[in-house]
Amino acid sequence: MPHIQIDYSPNLEPRLDVAGLCRALRDAAVATGVLPLAGLRLRATACTHVVIADGNPDHAFLDISLRLRAGRSPEAKAQATAQIFAAAEAFCADLLATSSFMLSFELREIDPALSPKTSSIRRYLPGETK
């Protein structure tokens, strides 16, 4: 049940294909072999009110948060973090090279005892049997 939440400064919209970034992060997450496609949810939200560093309106940020249920090894979580962040860096490479831009990522575990879930999506995904 991995959730990837992207928060970003609204001044990125004319400079970054946010929907394309969502697809790239989904693909990177699945490629880790650690995060199942059937449970993956990505969303991106432009933050309405932002102040970045000294307040210069040209500054921009994009923060990626990955929440997932506990149970994966520290190595698997480190691998997933590295792979997904590398995909984000590659997607945002032009921004990083040409503008004042901050990119960040954080992985957090969810306690399964405190986060009940139910889903019927696997019945609607080709090739899924669970």
Side-chain angles (χ1 to χ4, degrees):
M1 55 76 31
H3 291 264
I4 298 177
Q5 171 68 44
I6 304 165
D7 293 318
Y8 62 94
S9 55
N11 62 354
L12 283 181
E13 290 193 345
R15 299 187 275 164
L16 183 71
D17 176 7
V18 177
L21 175 64
C22 289
R23 289 187 298 274
L25 294 181
R26 181 221 31 226
D27 294 347
V30 171
T32 68
V34 176
L35 308 175
L37 175 64
L40 199 54
R41 300 167 192 107
L42 281 93
R43 53 197 168 271
T45 306
C47 298
T48 304
H49 304 284
V50 300
V51 176
I52 304 166
D54 64 358
N56 182 329
D58 294 332
H59 298 322
F61 77 88
L62 191 142
D63 177 63
I64 304 163
S65 176
L66 167 59
R67 295 183 302 121
L68 67 154
R69 282 191 109 119
R72 291 160 181 91
S73 71
E75 297 80 16
K77 291 183 290 188
Q79 172 212 352
T81 295
Q83 283 185 244
I84 296 167
F85 188 70
E89 276 188 302
F91 197 91
C92 297
D94 289 344
L95 277 174
L96 286 162
T98 62
S99 65
S100 173
F101 175 62
M102 295 184 284
L103 177 64
S104 57
F105 181 95
E106 179 185 18
L107 183 148
R108 290 174 287 186
E109 282 190 330
I110 299 170
D111 182 341
L114 302 175
S115 183
K117 305 279 178 274
T118 189
S119 173
S120 63
I121 196 167
R122 290 184 190 277
R123 293 192 310 245
Y124 299 92
L125 292 176
E128 286 287 328
T129 57
K130 295 180 184 177

